Amino acid sequence: MVDTVARDRLEPGGRPGEPANEPRHDAAETTRASEAGLAAPLLSLRNVRRAYTNTDGGPATEVLRGISLDIAAGEFVAIMGASGSGKSTLMHILGCLDRPTSGHYQFAGHDIAQLGADELAWLRREAFGFVFQGYHLVRSLDALHNVEMPAVYAGASLGERERRAAALLDQLGLADRATFRPGQLSGGQQQRVSIARALMNGGHVILADEPTGALDSRSGAEVVALLRELADAGHTVILITHDRAVAAQARRIVEIRDGQIVSDNGVRAPVAPNAPRTMIPASLDPRRFRAAMAAGIAHTARPWTDMREAFAAAWTVMWTNRFRTALTLLGIIIGVASVIVMLAIGAGTQQKVIAKIASFGTNRLYVVPGGDVSRGPGGVLTEADVRTIRQIPHVTTATPILRNKVTLRAGNVDSFVNVMAVNTDARRALNWNVARGLFFTDQDERNLATVILLGKKTRERMFGDANPLGAYVLVNNVPFQVIGELEEKGATSGDADDDDVVLIPYATGARRVLGTMNLNWITVLVDDIDNAEAVTKQIGDALEATHRVRDFRVYNRAASLRAQTETQQTMTIMLGLVAAISLLVGGIGVMNIMLVTVKERTREIGIRMAAGARQRDIQRQFLTEAITVTLVGGLAGVLIGVAIGLALLHWEVPIIFSVRAMLGAFACALVTGLVFGFMPARQAARLDPVTALASD
């Protein structure tokens, strides 16, 4: 059974993650590399020592005390010793999970001390396969994905690694357990899964640390038999055990005690012409080791594949811890929804205020008689000034206004009201539309027609709910016919109530009612609010030139509107910032949960590092998990924010949704995940593999 596995691993270019552009090596070249490996030891230790610093400040504890050991390719070696003898520490050094304090360790003739973190990760996934006493399977993954793990970090395609993992599970008798998680498997089955994982990238050197320690005698015997089959198939097998009966299954027994080798039977597998090929590929040939390593480190999955794998792993973790994930999402959801709703309310309120102001004119200027100094000349505005203003660029229209109090009588109802004598341009200049009836015309102006339009409040006071159109009223005892009613504009204060007013033609008012041509003010309409300041200056200059004195004032209503708009915008921003605080709190929650997650999954991190994960792989995985949480929370927050906004619209709260605000809130959520997830991800990536594997 395992012979078939071994033969599958020997196919040229068949290792998952092997660069597509590397030259293919035939069996003869692989055999030559293997023979070279037997001539020069594959693993060589010289006077290796390992000491651990005591955290309480005491002297360092020396676990290995000058180990010298050579292991050739294809050997089946048992390293035997009692608990605390240093055999597991030796295995960690052999498997490049740990470094010696002093001494030299060479793999394929190359000094391991010269290799960086990424190079050691490549060597672990290229050369080694680990089988641990505690199985060390990732509990959130099923058997198939646990086996696939080394190939993921080797950059193998999804289809290729699924086929290889399924084949390995099938050949190890676990085809019907591929979708089972570790908690659903027996101890023997879990250990078989770990052996399949060790073989996923070839398993050229199998390091088995007490593989039978947690198994019953029958399962333990099956695991040892599997290791013998792997050794017979040409794998280099290093078995760590305290059991002499298990060690006796190996061809060579090295006994270690108190960190020193006390015996070595020195038995080697003979190199005969008909001996099985060893499992060392050409990539581990000392003559091309460095080049193969450089190519292997450079060869990873495509960015999209990396991203897909990271998000798939993150989603699995989130789904496994659904309740905790939901609590974490809540902070992001509240933050995003708050930002969207608050900005929508702010924008809606701002538009409502601006619309209210707009009913009184936004791009209007007002020219009134009287100088800037109270003791200065009073000044007079005339129709000639209106004509002068109309000649100024960007002026749409200039409207003369005569205003005074008059006595208005309808039947037996008298009222003292404001009358405004205006021309036909007033309809546009003053934004005064007719609710019913007609506005007077230029012909009415020329004919001094006695026609009148009533404001809403004036009509209610004089006629109640009756339709006033066609009725006659007396304005200072001059009969006028009602031809229209003005739209409601809303009251302001005092005499400025624009709904308690009547309008009459300018010429009629000047000559037949008010008896004066001196204007109360001139209303100027500017084509664009951005031109208001320039037009204000030009009006001042032009009128000063004709009056020869500055006996007037020009009020820029647009400037006032702009100031009020900026105030509203500031208030909207303040609302958004207040809401963003909840998003910040949600981000802190993400960081807190991620820190807890790193602590809880420390062993998983060690397992992934043993399978060949680089520091950046670990960092990317945990960072992706944080981003995934905020991505889901951001999307949910947008939907909930829109739902709350629609509900507020139903209750007639002014709401204006902004796509930019939604995208901004969503982007902020992603940035929050990136920023607050970086520290936990970096902490996870910097964990020591041995310390991580030993965690509870």
Side-chain angles (χ1 to χ4, degrees):
M1 174 177 61
V2 182
D3 289 342
T4 305
V5 177
R7 285 194 296 274
D8 290 345
R9 302 304 97 204
L10 280 170
E11 290 298 323
R15 293 185 310 281
E18 183 174 274
N21 59 352
E22 279 197 14
R24 296 173 64 90
H25 305 283
D26 57 20
E29 183 180 354
T30 304
T31 303
R32 286 194 298 271
S34 303
E35 292 172 353
L38 285 172
L42 179 65
L43 297 89
S44 178
L45 288 81
R46 289 292 177 270
N47 197 30
V48 167
R49 295 176 178 272
R50 183 66 172 98
Y52 294 97
T53 304
N54 287 328
T55 57
D56 58 3
T61 301
E62 194 169 37
V63 179
L64 298 182
R65 304 177 180 180
I67 297 289
S68 295
L69 178 65
D70 290 337
I71 299 176
E75 282 198 83
F76 185 10
V77 182
I79 298 177
M80 189 182 70
S83 297
S85 61
K87 59 185 185 298
S88 292
T89 300
L90 179 58
M91 187 207 78
H92 293 151
I93 290 176
L94 289 172
C96 299
L97 291 170
D98 198 6
R99 294 178 184 265
T101 305
S102 63
H104 299 281
Y105 171 33
Q106 290 190 336
F107 183 92
H110 291 268
D111 191 353
I112 296 302
Q114 299 177 0
L115 303 183
D118 283 356
E119 293 170 322
L120 290 176
W122 172 84
L123 189 56
R124 286 196 294 269
R125 68 174 178 261
E126 178 74 11
F128 295 103
F130 294 89
V131 181
F132 298 99
Q133 176 181 355
Y135 322 129
H136 284 358
L137 301 177
V138 178
R139 306 197 68 79
S140 61
L141 301 179
D142 58 27
L144 183 70
H145 288 88
N146 266 287
V147 175
E148 286 182 20
M149 190 186 303
V152 171
Y153 297 122
S157 66
L158 176 63
E160 178 187 2
R161 65 173 186 262
E162 283 185 348
R163 287 193 299 271
R164 289 181 179 275
L168 284 167
L169 289 173
D170 182 37
Q171 291 159 5
L172 291 173
L174 295 173
D176 59 341
R177 297 290 189 271
T179 58
F180 284 40
R181 291 188 178 179
Q184 300 170 298
L185 300 173
S186 67
Q189 290 171 334
Q190 290 187 64
Q191 198 63 289
R192 284 173 178 263
V193 172
S194 69
I195 292 173
R197 182 181 63 195
L199 294 170
M200 186 63 192
N201 283 355
H204 313 300
V205 180
I206 302 295
L207 292 166
D209 185 13
E210 297 282 6
T212 64
L215 303 177
D216 57 47
S217 57
R218 178 180 176 183
S219 298
E222 291 177 351
V223 168
V224 172
L226 280 173
L227 294 176
R228 284 187 61 85
E229 289 183 42
L230 290 171
D232 292 339
H235 293 264
T236 303
V237 180
I238 302 174
L239 173 64
I240 309 296
T241 184
H242 68 279
D243 191 331
R244 192 169 295 275
V246 173
Q249 304 298 313
R251 301 190 185 102
R252 176 184 175 190
I253 301 175
V254 177
E255 187 172 357
I256 186 171
R257 185 184 304 152
D258 296 330
Q260 295 178 313
I261 294 177
V262 296
S263 68
D264 183 352
N265 65 9
V267 177
R268 302 285 201 282
V271 181
N274 60 348
R277 293 181 299 170
T278 66
M279 295 302 297
I280 303 303
S283 62
L284 299 181
D285 185 340
R287 293 168 296 184
R288 64 186 304 271
F289 182 81
R290 280 289 182 180
M293 177 182 289
I297 292 173
H299 175 70
T300 56
R302 288 177 295 181
W304 168 246
T305 304
D306 278 344
M307 187 182 302
R308 182 186 61 198
E309 291 300 328
F311 275 107
W315 183 258
T316 300
V317 172
M318 288 174 59
W319 185 251
T320 303
N321 302 284
R322 292 186 288 276
F323 182 71
R324 186 171 67 188
T325 300
L327 292 179
T328 308
L329 287 174
L330 191 59
I332 301 298
I333 291 172
I334 292 174
V336 173
S338 298
V339 170
I340 291 173
V341 173
M342 289 296 188
L343 290 179
I345 291 175
T349 304
Q350 178 179 335
Q351 188 187 62
K352 185 175 182 180
V353 171
I354 292 174
K356 196 70 174 177
I357 296 173
S359 67
F360 299 99
T362 55
N363 52 339
R364 290 190 206 147
L365 306 178
Y366 295 93
V367 184
V368 298
D372 294 331
V373 181
S374 60
R375 294 190 298 273
V380 173
L381 295 176
T382 64
E383 289 187 75
D385 296 324
V386 174
R387 291 191 291 271
T388 299
I389 293 172
R390 285 174 179 167
Q391 303 302 315
I392 295 174
H394 303 296
V395 170
T396 302
T397 184
T399 303
I401 305 291
L402 284 173
R403 179 170 179 151
N404 210 334
K405 288 282 189 176
V406 295
T407 300
L408 185 69
R409 177 177 296 174
N412 60 353
V413 179
D414 289 349
S415 180
F416 200 51
V417 300
N418 287 308
V419 64
M420 292 179 63
V422 297
N423 61 14
T424 54
D425 291 335
R427 185 172 185 178
R428 180 171 55 152
L430 301 177
N431 193 26
W432 239 324
N433 296 317
V434 177
R436 53 183 168 180
L438 302 171
F439 206 88
F440 46 78
T441 64
D442 290 335
Q443 186 175 356
D444 293 331
E445 178 86 13
R446 289 191 297 271
N447 296 336
L448 302 180
T450 53
V451 291
I452 190 170
L453 290 94
L454 307 180
K456 183 172 184 268
K457 287 186 178 180
T458 303
R459 187 267 303 165
E460 289 175 347
R461 187 164 58 251
M462 305 302 293
F463 293 94
D465 294 330
N467 186 350
L469 297 184
Y472 282 88
V473 296
L474 295 177
V475 179
N476 286 349
N477 294 320
V478 178
F480 278 75
Q481 185 180 22
V482 179
I483 62 171
E485 179 182 344
L486 300 171
E487 280 187 351
E488 183 179 8
K489 299 195 75 172
T492 53
S493 62
D495 292 337
D497 190 345
D498 286 335
D499 289 327
D500 192 10
V501 70
V502 295
L503 298 186
I504 59 177
Y506 170 75
T508 304
R511 292 173 172 81
R512 302 190 62 176
V513 177
L514 302 176
T516 179
M517 302 295 289
N518 296 335
L519 307 179
N520 292 87
W521 72 82
I522 302 171
T523 299
V524 181
L525 194 64
V526 183
D527 60 358
D528 193 310
I529 192 172
D530 293 331
N531 298 322
E533 290 186 12
V535 172
T536 299
K537 184 178 184 305
Q538 291 173 0
I539 290 174
D541 294 341
L543 293 183
E544 187 173 1
T546 58
H547 288 209
R548 301 184 183 278
V549 64
R550 200 172 188 87
D551 57 351
F552 58 89
R553 284 172 290 176
V554 183
Y555 290 102
N556 185 353
R557 187 69 178 270
S560 174
L561 173 65
R562 181 170 296 167
Q564 294 184 48
T565 302
E566 290 175 354
T567 301
Q568 285 295 323
Q569 289 174 344
T570 301
M571 294 300 298
T572 301
I573 293 172
M574 289 294 293
L575 288 173
L577 289 176
V578 170
I581 292 175
S582 59
L583 188 58
L584 178 65
V585 172
I588 295 173
V590 170
M591 182 172 67
N592 184 50
I593 291 298
M594 291 305 300
L595 287 171
V596 172
T597 300
V598 170
K599 186 173 181 61
E600 288 180 348
R601 295 165 58 195
T602 300
R603 178 175 290 182
E604 177 190 331
I605 295 168
I607 295 169
R608 292 182 180 276
M609 288 180 170
R614 299 160 296 181
Q615 289 185 345
R616 59 184 142 173
D617 294 324
I618 300 297
Q619 181 168 310
R620 179 176 62 239
Q621 178 183 342
F622 280 86
L623 197 56
T624 303
E625 290 180 17
I627 293 175
T628 302
V629 169
T630 52
L631 176 67
V632 175
L635 288 173
V638 169
L639 295 177
I640 291 174
V642 171
I644 293 174
L646 293 176
L648 292 175
L649 278 176
H650 179 71
W651 293 326
E652 298 183 351
V653 176
I655 291 284
I656 295 180
F657 289 113
S658 168
V659 175
R660 182 180 298 177
M662 293 180 188
L663 294 177
F666 182 73
C668 285
L670 290 184
V671 172
T672 298
L674 184 65
V675 171
F676 287 96
F678 179 77
M679 189 178 76
R682 187 176 179 84
Q683 178 179 321
R686 291 188 170 185
L687 286 174
D688 177 74
V690 175
T691 304
L693 285 168
S695 67
D696 295 330

